[in-house]
Amino acid sequence: MRKILITILLLAVSNVIFAQNQFSGTVKNQETGEAVFSASVYFPKLEKGSTTDIDGHFTIKNLPAGNYKLIVSSIGFTSYSKDVSIPASEIQLVLKPSAVEMEEVIVSTPFHQLQSENVMRVERESVSELNKKGAVTLADGISQIAGVENLSTGVGIGKPVIRGLSSNRVLTYTQGVRMENQQFGGEHGLGISSKGIGSVEVIKGPASLLYGSDAIGGVLYLNPEQYASAGETKAEFNGDYFSNTLGYQASAMAKTSGEKLKFIARGSLAEHSDYKTGDGQRVTNTRFNEKDLKTGIAYQNEKFKSDLRYNFNRSELGIPEEIGTQTTSKTLVLPYQQIDNHILSADNTVYFANSSLNAKFGYQFNNRKEFEDHHHHEEEDGEEHDHDEEDDHGHEGEHSEEGEDLHPALDMELETFNYNIKYNLPKLGKFETIAGIQGMWQDNRNTGEEILIPDAKTVDFGVFATTHLHLSLWDFQAGLRYDTRTIDSEMHGHEGESGYMQAVDLSFNSVNGAFGAKYQFSKNLNVRLNLASGFRAPNLAELTSNGAHHGANRYEVGNPELDNEQNFQVDFSLEWRNEHFEAFTNAFHNTINDYIYLTPTGETINENPVYDYIQDDAKLYGGEIGMHIHPHPWDWMHIESSFETVTGKRDDDTYLPLIPANSITNTFRVEFNQGKFIQNKYAFIRLKNVFDKENTSAFETRTGGYSLLGAGFGGRVQLAESEVQISVNGNNLLNKTYIAHLSRLKTDGIANIGQNFMVSLQWFL
């Protein structure tokens, strides 16, 4: 056996030494024949590419032999794909000029295609574009995407809502692994900084085929920023200032790459004071700060690729209770959260002749602490106050002086290991197939006085296969998956006493499938139809809770008899585009069996109303419609409009809670890529109209509509060998006092953030 292993190893090494395939060519403008500078030439399956030089020439080295899809793209041109057989002789590629935005490769779906080629419609936005719209946090930024909203507690705490579903019904992926950070809680945000994230992809609808339990409502997929191209070293410094919170965030990045070895590192920090509403009041204890470190090292040769990434994030977030002392201090006051999140991921791919094996492994350690009113202090003498903003409460803050030994009331440690192993089978005719296994091992431990969920272990395992068939006008994709989850929790407390949590040893399983078709009706018209099922196993809080949730002001009682949530969704999409006009319509209907929700019992414990977890069938339906006009010959002009609507009902025809209000967003923007002193200039004005929210659940109140005006401008300046990007963006310019329906501060009558200006400076070296 040892001799066989040595022989296999020598064969692998010899392939690395002697197989030196490279791919080179030029990219030209189809209309003028001129070279296209800085065009991207990229093999998605290999995750390897290059950019063209001033003469339009490119070279990609260390490629494995085989057949691969090549994506060619550049700003101002239509992206396109082409099948290439490696090794190949030098090739000439042409790009057609277009005012349509450059298409990117979609990573969250299995076959890594352009959006126009994808059977499933996926929304994609670069984080730089979201930042241009004045987003304070990542959760705030993704709410700019049609069909996505933000369930918020102030400015610092937010989580994505995709077509009315959130928390454990929406999965977040970062660094290629599912993110686990006690997301069951209403006041538990994303816990990741936008700095170091390259782009955001959103799958709207059940994605259990690809991701297993908890993807019943969709997936938020965060792509880390890319390494430098081979032979390049780059650095970046970034600073942002926010007028409303008197806050700032700063970030520094450095990356360097050789032909095979690559390295990147980024450090970021942010601090914000309490935010100010439109009526001039600061919302006490909505201040927050964040420290973030992201780093990665990658190696790639002709047969093997490995990408090791690490992210540490510490977020300290005030938990608001009422509007009290008016201060611009950034010092945290009680109660507040401190969350440490460590994510270590390894993405490895082995390339064979016409197939590949990809193995992703992730390790996470999440430590969530909540500090409450154990110590009482007056505000420090000399601390800056806005006395003219002081309200009638006159409450003084309680804070922890530096060096004071505070013990957390709540202290939860969540340790997670997950894996995702996929084999890309050799193509069989026009069929491309992927089969794989996924799994997760998780351990939850409590060391604090308060217990929200018991100590428990969770184990997931899933096996799946999906295939894609490409024809001249049709594309089909189908797949099947089986999952199992076991939850084994420990008993907490004593039976019959308050806070008692019984031990559970439960197993859940589900079979799910998906089928999708895309038809190219004409050169300009695409039609997509997707049918998919998904499931969600109940979480620990729903199964075992027995205690007061102070943030929600209620006493929750779990139900160990809960079953899987199981859903089936139909998506229909129409997209029409030419060089100067785009329009889309997305409609969906989502049926959820055994939907889990809280209902009041009419009882109280320690003045807190008691809520039980129960199940009922539910349905959600709605969609998005929009258009984008960039008229000829004014290709620099863009007019965009989108409307989104969701309705959610239980089986008894009553409405579901936390369903976003209907809204319409209109944007007018101009872009000028060329200029004598300033390049990539842009300016925009945006108006978002949110309609009255009348269709509420029995435990919600209606929310009035409102309109928010935003605007911004920016551009790049060349300074010797470096570039500086400057942008100024404003949100809620008219300083509107409003309350969003998905704000968790709504029940206290506390308004959302008022007028805010964001000034950003980026220096690229």
Side-chain angles (χ1 to χ4, degrees), residues 47 59 86 89 147 295 339 354 379 390 392 399 456 531 546 557 635 653 685:
E47 297 184 30
T59 298
I86 302 296
S89 57
T295 186
I339 303 108
N354 285 299
E379 295 276 7
E390 191 160 302
D392 295 332
H399 65 95
L531 314 174
N546 189 10
V557 179
D635 295 339
D653 216 36
I685 184 167

Side-chain angles (χ1 to χ4, degrees), residues 744-765:
R744 298 190 71 257
L745 302 181
K746 175 189 170 184
T747 55
D748 298 315
I750 297 176
N752 287 68
I753 188 170
Q755 184 186 82
N756 180 50
F757 290 97
M758 174 183 175
V759 181
S760 298
L761 179 69
Q762 285 179 281
W763 185 19
F764 302 93
L765 297 171

Side-chain angles (χ1 to χ4, degrees), residues 219-347:
V219 175
L220 177 68
Y221 200 97
L222 308 175
N223 294 309
E225 65 182 321
Q226 295 181 348
Y227 292 97
S229 298
E232 291 186 344
T233 297
K234 293 186 176 181
E236 174 192 327
F237 298 93
N238 167 242
D240 306 312
Y241 174 77
F242 303 88
S243 65
N244 185 287
T245 62
L246 305 178
Y248 71 89
Q249 56 185 6
S251 181
M253 179 274 292
K255 56 184 178 180
T256 185
S257 295
E259 284 296 336
K260 295 183 179 181
L261 195 62
K262 305 177 182 181
F263 176 78
I264 190 170
R266 177 182 288 273
S268 309
L269 57 90
E271 281 193 327
H272 293 265
S273 303
D274 297 340
Y275 79 84
K276 187 189 296 185
T277 64
D279 59 11
Q281 288 188 313
R282 292 198 179 272
V283 181
T284 307
N285 208 20
T286 54
R287 65 200 69 173
F288 65 96
N289 62 64
E290 182 179 53
K291 299 177 181 68
D292 190 86
L293 170 67
K294 293 183 175 74
T295 186
I297 185 168
Y299 175 82
Q300 184 170 9
N301 61 26
E302 301 85 354
K303 295 291 184 181
F304 176 73
K305 177 186 73 69
S306 182
D307 186 359
L308 181 67
R309 300 230 184 196
Y310 170 72
N311 179 205
F312 168 72
N313 181 278
R314 167 170 286 186
S315 299
E316 295 177 316
L317 308 143
I319 302 175
E321 296 176 320
E322 61 182 358
I323 295 181
T325 301
Q326 299 292 285
T327 175
T328 57
S329 171
K330 295 178 176 61
T331 302
L332 288 167
V333 297
L334 299 170
Y336 69 88
Q337 304 178 61
Q338 178 181 295
I339 303 108
D340 287 351
N341 205 41
H342 302 262
I343 305 174
L344 180 66
S345 65
D347 184 354

Side-chain angles (χ1 to χ4, degrees), residues 294-441:
K294 293 183 175 74
T295 186
I297 185 168
Y299 175 82
Q300 184 170 9
N301 61 26
E302 301 85 354
K303 295 291 184 181
F304 176 73
K305 177 186 73 69
S306 182
D307 186 359
L308 181 67
R309 300 230 184 196
Y310 170 72
N311 179 205
F312 168 72
N313 181 278
R314 167 170 286 186
S315 299
E316 295 177 316
L317 308 143
I319 302 175
E321 296 176 320
E322 61 182 358
I323 295 181
T325 301
Q326 299 292 285
T327 175
T328 57
S329 171
K330 295 178 176 61
T331 302
L332 288 167
V333 297
L334 299 170
Y336 69 88
Q337 304 178 61
Q338 178 181 295
I339 303 108
D340 287 351
N341 205 41
H342 302 262
I343 305 174
L344 180 66
S345 65
D347 184 354
N348 307 286
T349 304
V350 180
Y351 299 104
F352 307 108
N354 285 299
S355 63
S356 62
L357 179 68
N358 176 254
K360 291 186 176 74
F361 302 99
Y363 172 79
Q364 296 173 67
F365 182 78
N366 177 266
N367 183 206
R368 178 177 297 274
K369 298 179 180 179
E370 291 188 7
F371 297 88
E372 297 180 356
D373 302 341
H374 295 306
H375 303 271
H376 301 275
H377 298 276
E378 297 295 311
E379 295 276 7
E380 290 183 280
D381 293 337
E383 185 172 72
E384 181 186 359
H385 291 266
D386 291 339
H387 294 289
D388 58 325
E389 297 177 352
E390 191 160 302
D391 71 353
D392 295 332
H393 294 287
H395 292 169
E396 294 292 339
E398 296 145 354
H399 65 95
S400 169
E401 295 182 6
E402 189 171 349
E404 189 174 277
D405 186 19
L406 277 181
H407 297 284
L410 180 73
D411 193 344
M412 295 191 293
E413 295 179 350
L414 185 67
E415 195 173 17
T416 305
F417 171 76
N418 43 39
Y419 59 89
N420 185 358
I421 301 172
K422 297 183 293 187
Y423 179 55
N424 287 60
L425 281 73
K427 272 190 176 182
L428 183 61
K430 294 184 178 295
F431 283 93
E432 190 174 359
T433 303
I434 295 175
I437 59 172
Q438 275 182 351
M440 179 181 75
W441 176 88

Side-chain angles (χ1 to χ4, degrees), residues 510-622:
S510 183
V511 176
N512 292 280
F515 173 80
K518 181 180 74 72
Y519 179 62
Q520 188 83 34
F521 255 103
S522 67
K523 178 182 176 182
N524 304 114
L525 179 62
N526 272 334
V527 181
R528 291 182 174 91
L529 176 66
N530 281 275
L531 314 174
S533 67
F535 86 106
R536 182 180 76 90
N539 62 46
L540 273 172
E542 295 163 339
L543 293 168
T544 63
S545 283
N546 189 10
H549 287 240
H550 301 296
N553 298 317
R554 63 182 176 232
Y555 192 101
E556 296 183 6
V557 179
N559 180 0
E561 303 300 320
L562 294 174
D563 292 325
N564 277 341
E565 288 184 342
Q566 192 77 42
N567 80 325
F568 179 77
Q569 181 165 309
V570 179
D571 278 275
F572 180 74
S573 172
L574 279 172
E575 299 170 60
W576 195 94
R577 65 159 57 187
N578 65 14
E579 189 177 350
H580 299 287
F581 179 77
E582 300 172 74
F584 68 88
T585 299
N586 304 322
F588 77 95
H589 189 281
N590 190 3
T591 302
I592 307 178
N593 294 328
D594 295 319
Y595 182 89
I596 301 170
Y597 64 98
L598 281 166
T599 186
T601 65
E603 303 174 355
T604 59
I605 296 180
N606 296 329
E607 300 183 352
N608 289 313
V610 178
Y611 281 71
D612 283 347
Y613 281 101
I614 62 173
Q615 292 184 298
D616 193 6
D617 294 344
K619 59 185 176 184
L620 297 97
Y621 54 88

